[in-house]
Amino acid sequence: MSFRTTPSVDYVEDVSPGSGALPPRAWYASSDARSLSLNGSWRFRLSATAGAEDDSFAEEGYDAGNWAEVTVPGHWVLQGDGAFGSPIYTNHLYPFPVDPPYVPTENPTGDHLRVFDLPSDWPSDGGAVLRFDGVESCARVWLNGTELGEFKGSRLAHEFAVGELLKPGSNVLAVRVHQWSAGSYLEDQDQWWLPGIFRDVTLLHRPAGGVADFFVHASYDHTTGEGTLRVDSDVRGRVLVPALDIDVATGEPVTVAVEPWTAETPKLYDGVLATDGERVPLRIGFRTVVLEDGLVKVNGTAVLFKGVNRHEWHPERGRALDLETMREDVLLMKRHNLNAVRTSHYPPHPAFLDLCDEYGLWVIDECDLETHGFTEQDWRDNPVDDDRWTPALLDRAARMVERDKNHPSIVFWSLGNEAGTGRGLTAMAEWIHGRDPERLVHYEGDWNCRDTDVYSRMYAFHDEVEKIGQQLDGGTHKRRELPFIQCEYAHAMGNGPGGLADYQELFEKYDRLQGGFIWEWIDHGVKHAELGYAYGGDFGEELHDGNFVCDGLVFPDRTPSPGLIEYKKVIEPVHIEGDGANGIVRVINKQDFADLSALAFEWSCQVDGETVESGSLAVPALAPGESAEVKLPEPPVDGRGGERQWTVRALLADDTSWAAKGHVVAWGQFAVGARPLPSFPATDRPVVEEGRITLGPAGFDARTGALLSIGGVEVGATPRLDVWRAPTDNDDGAEWQTDTRYGMLWRTLGLHRMRHRLVSVEAGDDALTVRTRVAPAAREVGLDTVYRWTSDGERLRLSVSVTPEGDWTVPLPRLGVRFGLPEADRVEWFGGGPGEAYPDSRRASMVGRWQSTVDRLQTPYVRPQENGARADVRWVELGGLRIEGDPEFWFTARRWTTEQLDAARHRTDLAAGDTVWVNLDHGLHGVGSQSCGPGPLPQYFLKAEPVEFSFVFSTTR
């Protein structure tokens, strides 16, 4: 006789989307029908396996008094101080065996209990619906002991009819949530795996005759200026739009003159859908999306997407976002000139789409689908090419489209991300095209464009993008007829991305290129008491992808990174350029729809970085694409003979919904004339006595030639050649890339451990000359380096000449001198600022007079790496010294060495020392975005070649 047991959890590994849930329908935030939020504190019990506990906890009267508590919305692994497990981060590897649809027996399962009182005035007529807006990854639900069903599709809404189960007074809602399920195979997005009820839970009264599903069709005819509105509703009613004098039955079209909705002019009309039992507010935006002449057009105009990919993230709450956090994202995007967002890689909380409608952002709404881990087996058994999974795929597509279909901001439906190709995707595309022909379908993996309306790629390099723009990329005939977007490009991991301006120039040059979306919006750092922000591997994961999860334009606390500041400058909606010598400024309106009437322009004139005069500038309200040349006033007379330049800014003329009056939208700078170069007559000669060399205000060690002091300022470490930087994420590149990864080559060559051999110290008639050879161990290549010191009696000049020896096959990370100061805090400089810049990420660097502290010069990347350089520096003052450059130089200062920075894995690993280390660089290598995209373009390489540069030191005390 045999005996066999099987846990009663077969639904967990069932490829179906679930059972018991109502068909998907349009989501709306409010109506005049009652609702009850069930968010808040829930009782919680964690089990190690899916079948460890029976279902008795769902029965009325169950005593859960000894259970823990968690907050809903929330993820249990981010609560309980580690008692409920830990987050897991993988980029594409499944953190469980790939054996679809099966998942491990070790399957953390959270039982959730919420006892709630039905309000005494809760309506007794009609029914009720229980709505879950997001649960990862599989949930089974009971109300008052009756099972309602189970569902998968973590980032999708699911509703259950519960009217007959509700009781006056106390009610018991029980939800069992499994971390792993068959649905997990469809949710292999690049993010933390975080189980829990992470979006809202709401009880909705459904009155008799109330609104069910409805579809707002609001098109715009750009030739007549009229909009046509038709609201299809499952329940008959009327549609009222007072501002347009519309009062029409559902299902009937009406055409009136309207202002259209665009991301630049997000005009919304308040309306109401009224049935016999309910009134639902509508926010209607009239716009038409078409594929025409090989271009994506909205309201008859081709759109250039200046976008970003946005994961939902909060450093303490994970993907459980509140409305104000979502609003903060949208406001930051608008204030930094973004006009589009791709909801990578799942539909966002629906309130985020309301904000996109309100403030104006084009949206690619992406389905909750990714099977990236199947690349490890050449896509064998990929669910999207397996008919058994097609119902689940169609369910996900339908739940996205039906929930979000009434948002004017959405111009594309995306089938998902990195899921290969297959019959399931085709079925999804066919269903979406049939259900909503008024929008376009996107999917990056469909390079032949069989199912899609746009040719979409990730991380295509600049040269390939140009070929695509020229229609020289080959491919199918259909593909060549379609527009191109980069749904992901310019990987914003760590210091970078570089090359944004080069991409944008291509997007603006070729009509077929309709822009792209930076990867990505936010660093997914998890707030950590000891590490500051944790990333992959910090929770003991057996498989993880390190800090690849920290690749955003904003830091985890939503502070803009230098990458976002650079992107804002690169995608400015107004281009400002000028001829400073002739006092002419040219203004170009780069917007697609709006004129410049919302902007005010101002000019200012700087001498040596200080503004000496300013005023307003009359610029016509140029239409999109128009330009004008405007005469500047005569530059003010200044007797200092310093460097003069114009700065012209475009500002908001009035308060808007997303920024206050005076917010800087765009700016341009241009010189009035050539920069006057400082003169330096060498008048003093070196004096040698008692092991010391004196030259002007400086003292040197006579044996080594090391600089000891300048005036009263002690030098902790003498200036000497430095070529090493703590490699950035983009320097190191990604391990799967076949292109040259220079961070690895630099370390292999030994540039992080250069040795300095003193050749000679020569005290001549007018100079102290120190000759050295700088080279890595085990290699024959080297840099012949000569330091020549001269003085005019008060100042000290260092001229450095560098001559490469041997076969240098790689560019240098940096080339300059590094020295130490025992004391420095306040920093002032004339040059680029206020933030950091590198050769291919310097468009946002504005020349001026800037102040900082040494600590505030640092950029707090989650994983420490090279940061903080200021570009085009004419002079800098710190630690009692003033340093002038000929030519301009790059400046960096920090309280730790480059080697300490290189060794650190978190910000908390960096401890301030007694020395401030200063780099004065003649050149830096570009940063690129090779952590997933291309490295620096050749024009940003720092080649090892003969070079000379100099610095002049003086004291400020």
Side-chain angles (χ1 to χ4, degrees), residues 263 266 327 330-331 334 354-361 657-658:
R327 189 186 307 276
V330 171
L331 292 177
K334 293 292 290 186
D354 287 339
L355 295 169
C356 293
D357 295 342
E358 177 182 352
Y359 292 101
L361 288 169
S657 62
W658 49 270

Side-chain angles (χ1 to χ4, degrees), residues 442-519:
H442 166 273
Y443 177 67
E444 182 272 338
D446 182 16
W447 284 17
N448 290 325
C449 302
R450 178 182 65 182
D451 302 321
T452 57
D453 299 310
V454 63
Y455 178 29
S456 177
R457 289 281 300 281
M458 298 179 181
Y459 308 108
F461 287 14
H462 298 78
D463 56 350
E464 184 183 6
V465 170
E466 181 153 32
K467 289 179 181 178
I468 293 171
Q470 297 168 334
Q471 295 185 312
L472 300 176
D473 55 305
T476 62
H477 175 74
K478 178 184 178 183
R479 190 180 89 181
R480 293 196 303 273
E481 297 291 312
L482 294 179
F484 175 80
I485 64 170
Q486 286 252 62
C487 69
E488 294 181 20
Y489 80 109
H491 200 245
M493 185 176 178
N495 187 337
L500 288 177
D502 307 274
Y503 271 122
Q504 195 65 27
E505 288 170 8
L506 294 173
F507 296 157
E508 295 177 4
K509 181 177 181 180
Y510 299 102
D511 290 343
R512 186 188 183 194
L513 308 181
Q514 292 197 250
F517 297 77
I518 302 291
W519 185 266

Side-chain angles (χ1 to χ4, degrees), residues 3 32 95 117 126 183 237 278 355 412 417 441 461 481 545 547 556 616-617 628 687 713 754 761 783 848 868 888 919:
F3 177 74
D32 62 350
D117 289 333
E278 188 176 11
L355 295 169
F412 277 101
N417 182 70
V441 171
F461 287 14
E481 297 291 312
D545 287 286
N547 68 311
S616 60
L617 186 68
V687 178
V713 177
M754 300 290 276
V761 177
L783 299 169
E888 293 91 353
N919 278 91

Side-chain angles (χ1 to χ4, degrees), residues 818-831:
R818 175 170 64 166
F819 68 100
L821 290 173
E823 182 180 332
D825 184 28
R826 176 183 167 276
V827 184
E828 184 173 356
W829 74 98
F830 172 28

Side-chain angles (χ1 to χ4, degrees), residues 257-270:
V258 298
E259 296 178 43
W261 189 97
T262 75
E264 296 168 6
T265 57
K267 174 64 177 179
L268 293 173
Y269 291 92
D270 290 323

Side-chain angles (χ1 to χ4, degrees), residues 595-618:
D595 63 22
L596 299 188
S597 58
L599 301 179
F601 290 79
E602 67 176 24
W603 62 267
S604 60
C605 186
Q606 290 81 38
V607 176
D608 289 339
E610 292 186 296
T611 297
V612 295
E613 196 168 329
S614 62
S616 60
L617 186 68

